[in-house]
Amino acid sequence: MYYKRAIEIYVNRLGPDDPNVAKTKNNLASSYLKQGKYKEAEQLYREVLTAASEKDRPEPNMSQSISQSMIGSKQEKNYVESGSWHKASKVDTPTVTTTLKNLVTLYRKQGRNEAADQLDNCAVKIKKDPSAITQAIEVVQKVQMNEPIMNTGMTNSLSSNGRFIESTRNNE
């Protein structure tokens, strides 16, 4: 109840794109998950991921407006040349990563292990590759539509120094 009220306040006072909205939705979804209300939890997790994905896309004139706002700065040249619009986006990576990890937990509880594995992979990659949000949403959509989750052949392992390394499985 308190989370729902907090979401309402944040949306009305700060707007639906405020990071507090996503964090509070994630917290409410986690509460639902602990109560066994999987359908409600999944819906909120999907909303957080969808909002993050939409924020991560450039608006048609975004690069031009950002470029104009940075006129005369050293960042302007680097920003425009690298096309790094995603660095200026409002995506809160820790919240998205937490949401993905929570969805992994939900899917494992439901026995959807292939989807959980793929979302876990996306959660690991998201910090370096913002397109992992899109990949995660595709997995969630397939789960929602009861479509089979195809193994991408990508797997993560820990190297000797504790860092994740990505390798491909040989499916022959």
Side-chain angles (χ1 to χ4, degrees):
M1 176 91 164
Y2 293 111
Y3 285 129
K4 287 181 181 179
R5 179 72 179 127
I7 291 168
E8 183 181 315
I9 291 169
Y10 288 143
V11 168
N12 290 335
R13 298 219 175 146
L14 304 173
D17 292 334
D18 187 80
N20 289 309
V21 173
K23 289 175 188 176
T24 307
K25 281 184 177 183
N26 189 33
N27 290 339
L28 176 58
S30 294
S31 175
Y32 285 150
L33 179 62
K34 289 175 186 172
Q35 295 172 38
K37 297 179 179 179
Y38 298 150
K39 185 177 180 181
E40 293 89 343
E42 186 176 12
Q43 177 61 37
L44 287 169
Y45 290 141
R46 280 196 314 256
E47 288 176 17
V48 171
L49 291 178
T50 300
S53 174
E54 290 169 356
K55 289 179 194 176
D56 200 36
R57 293 185 193 130
E59 295 175 17
N61 295 323
M62 185 176 179
S63 63
Q64 182 181 7
S65 63
I66 290 173
S67 180
Q68 290 172 351
S69 70
M70 295 168 30
I71 291 175
S73 72
K74 291 180 182 179
Q75 292 176 338
E76 177 186 4
K77 183 177 179 184
N78 293 337
Y79 180 87
V80 174
E81 285 178 1
S82 68
S84 300
W85 52 265
H86 61 83
K87 292 179 184 175
S89 70
K90 297 178 183 175
V91 173
D92 183 352
T93 304
T95 299
V96 173
T97 302
T98 300
T99 301
L100 287 174
K101 291 290 188 180
N102 291 339
L103 258 174
V104 167
T105 301
L106 171 67
Y107 287 163
R108 289 208 194 288
K109 285 181 182 235
Q110 294 176 324
R112 299 172 172 177
N113 293 323
E114 287 182 30
D117 290 344
Q118 287 202 11
L119 288 181
D120 200 23
N121 188 23
C122 290
V124 170
K125 294 189 318 184
I126 201 164
K127 195 169 186 177
K128 292 182 180 177
D129 182 9
S131 70
I133 295 171
T134 305
Q135 294 167 359
I137 288 174
E138 289 172 4
V139 171
V140 172
Q141 287 172 340
K142 285 182 179 182
V143 167
Q144 184 180 8
M145 299 181 79
N146 292 320
E147 293 180 11
I149 306 297
M150 303 301 291
N151 192 334
T152 60
M154 301 306 288
T155 182
N156 288 321
S157 321
L158 285 176
S159 67
S160 59
N161 66 359
R163 293 183 177 206
F164 279 100
I165 54 173
E166 203 171 80
S167 59
T168 56
R169 291 187 191 141
N170 203 352
N171 294 330
E172 296 177 9

